[in-house]
Amino acid sequence: MTAVIGVQAAAVVTDLAAARAAAPAVWRDVRRYDPPAQAALFAAYAVLGAERAGLALVALAPCQAGSPEMFAWVRRIAAGEPVRMNPLHTLHAVDNLALSALSLGLGAQGHGTGLGGAPGQWGEGLALLLARLRAGPEVEGLLLAGDQADAEAGGAVFGAALRLGPGPGQWRLDAVERWAAPATPARDATAGLRAFIAWLAAPGTCFEAPAATGDGQTATRLRGAPP
């Protein structure tokens, strides 16, 4: 058990072409997946440390249901056209497919959880990892998420990942707090993580997440300290 847990590394992916060029080995492994899963895995591999077996993993599903490919298949099936489907382009391709791919690729033997596609789950994921690392046996924890601007039309793709581990790192994380705060949530699983990662460029002792990054009923605050 480690008393001090900190953010050890964080990454955001918004340009898949640049990610492919920077990490061709990862691209070979993820090229068949849908774009949100690709972005989540590119971000996850970018933040990995030396720890593998004792790594707790938490993955967030996209808030945007399905993929452009799924919508196209439905239209073609309804029109009576033949359809050749890629089963990897499915609804929860980050919280189960990407999580499984990462676990197998790393040989991870720690805790693994896939959280559903509701907005605001990033705070739950961080709270879960913080609790796991304080209690053990995992040594480090990794939270990954991927989403897209529009499930039907595609468009912009977002990926984000954050690794927690022993020591203050980039920022010491002491607590994840939540309270009632109704708001219209952003349909983007990465929104809260991306806002927090941007804030880490000049951190203080408290990150109060934008209202839209919550679940619509609660807000999230992270308490800690710069290293």
Side-chain angles (χ1 to χ4, degrees), residues 28-217:
R28 287 193 293 271
D29 290 337
V30 307
R31 63 187 185 276
R32 287 177 52 83
Y33 303 161
D34 67 350
Q38 291 177 8
L41 286 168
F42 274 124
Y45 276 102
V47 304
L48 284 176
E51 183 61 42
R52 294 292 190 273
L55 184 66
L57 301 175
V58 175
L60 310 184
C63 296
Q64 294 287 340
S67 65
E69 292 80 6
M70 288 184 67
F71 283 94
W73 296 333
V74 170
R75 291 194 185 93
R76 292 178 63 187
I77 292 170
E81 299 177 16
V83 175
R84 184 177 180 180
M85 300 174 66
N86 179 351
L88 300 183
H89 287 212
T90 54
L91 175 60
H92 293 301
V94 173
D95 65 333
N96 56 27
L97 174 62
L99 178 60
S100 298
L102 186 62
S103 297
L104 291 170
L106 300 178
Q109 299 174 20
H111 180 85
T113 294
L115 298 180
Q121 295 279 50
W122 67 277
E124 296 289 341
L126 282 181
L128 172 58
L129 288 178
L130 185 61
R132 295 291 309 186
L133 298 187
R134 283 176 170 166
E138 290 87 11
V139 178
E140 293 189 335
L142 193 153
L143 177 65
L144 67 152
D147 219 319
Q148 55 195 336
D150 189 311
E152 186 168 5
V157 174
F158 314 109
L162 187 147
R163 176 168 57 91
L164 299 179
Q170 298 179 16
W171 189 73
R172 191 186 76 213
L173 176 60
D174 294 335
V176 180
E177 302 172 345
R178 289 180 295 276
W179 68 97
T184 301
R187 296 194 63 199
D188 175 1
T190 72
L193 269 181
R194 290 194 291 130
F196 176 52
I197 291 169
W199 178 85
L200 284 173
T205 59
C206 177
F207 170 72
E208 190 157 327
T213 67
D215 59 8
Q217 299 299 318

